[in-house]
Amino acid sequence: MRTAFTELVGVRHPIVQTGMGWVAGPRLVSATARAGALGILASATMTTERLRAAVREVKSRTDEPFGVNLRADAGDARERVRIIIDEGVAVASFALAPSKELITELKDAGVVVIPSIGARRHAEKVAAWGADAVIVQGGEGGGHTGEVATTVLLPQVVDAVDIPVVAAGGFHDGRGLVAALAYGAAGIAMGTRFLLTSDSTVPDAVKARYLAAGVKDVTVTTAVDGLPHRMLRTEMVAALEHAGRARALAQAVRRAAGFRRTFGIGWSRMVRDGLAMKHGKDLSWSQVLLAANTPMLLKASMVDGRTDLGVMASGQVAGLIEDLPSCAELVERVMAQAHAALGALPPARGAPGGGTGQRRGGGDDARRV
């Protein structure tokens, strides 16, 4: 299934595995790439040394293209960009809108730049700055998310920009891929669905919590870092939501100390990062500290298996997922479902010779396939 996205990044299928912290490591990314989709390494939870090693590990496992996700507001963002360029990574993905200068630096080196955005105006901004494509996440998506549903946000963005749009938030199967294509997207991005594969390194007990969750067990809370964060409803989330300011601050300081030890970051840098995050936002200092070390809350669950001490970012689709296929099985299944869904559509009125009426070719039309 050729689309403008597959042509842009050189993958066989219009599917992206998102850069989930502590989840999207070399094993998952290389398995996704071998399956013909675009795997994206999550670098925000890696030191720069670990990032370089992870990139080389993926390249030792596959010759297929893959990407690296990074935070544009990180103090060492330019160093991470340099690693992406030096190591010949095909795609740079950003959790926040990168600056025009970063986009230019990457594009001049031949790297495809695909920021993730959650609003039409952000898509317009990065498109004007030269981004090659955008991933647009609706409110159904896991982690930090917005209030606008994918079915409303996606067509807004498709109509606003002239670059390939990849839809995220609420996707887990081939029917969703066909729906996204019908809206004008050039592919879909999935996080929770790839987290729940046999290639994911997330502990089995944590995967079991996801599989047992219903749609109503996925909630949005601001208690973690003051920003809307979609995750599984757990005892830990409830404790954060009901903790008083003093208790929340004590918990935040304790976890910040752990974050500092793990990443070798000094308190002064954490304070600077906290001030940057607090700027323009109504955050308490406990929320600022939690925002600075949210990666440790995710690590507790995604790496250590301590769901009682950590949080589990999750899209609403967790309530629909029931199994743990390999990445290869998942991608093959999604594509088979998509082709079946296309074949089951009634003929478009007036379409000669019947058929689905869907545009499925490449070339100039592929961007809107």
Side-chain angles (χ1 to χ4, degrees), residues 21-22 44-46 71 144 224-225 229 255 259 262-263 265 270 277 289-304 310-311:
W22 303 113
T45 52
M46 299 178 184
R71 290 182 61 93
H144 289 120
V224 173
D225 56 13
H229 206 142
R255 293 190 179 92
F259 179 78
T262 299
F263 287 90
I265 296 175
M270 289 192 69
M277 284 181 283
L289 281 174
L290 281 170
N293 67 94
T294 294
M296 295 304 290
L297 296 177
L298 291 166
K299 179 179 181 292
S301 294
M302 300 299 132
V303 178
D304 303 329
V311 297

Side-chain angles (χ1 to χ4, degrees), residues 193-263:
R193 177 64 274 195
F194 275 102
L195 183 157
L196 294 173
T197 61
S198 60
D199 293 304
S200 163
T201 58
V202 172
D204 290 342
V206 177
K207 291 179 182 178
R209 288 289 296 267
Y210 278 93
L211 293 176
V215 173
K216 292 186 178 181
D217 294 321
V218 184
T219 187
V220 176
T221 182
T222 59
V224 173
D225 56 13
L227 301 173
H229 206 142
R230 187 176 291 283
M231 58 186 62
L232 291 188
R233 191 187 305 276
T234 64
E235 297 83 356
M236 174 67 177
V237 173
L240 288 173
E241 289 179 334
H242 293 96
R245 281 184 175 265
R247 183 181 175 188
L249 182 59
Q251 292 175 341
V253 169
R254 184 171 66 253
R255 293 190 179 92
F259 179 78
R260 186 179 69 88
R261 287 193 300 271
T262 299
F263 287 90

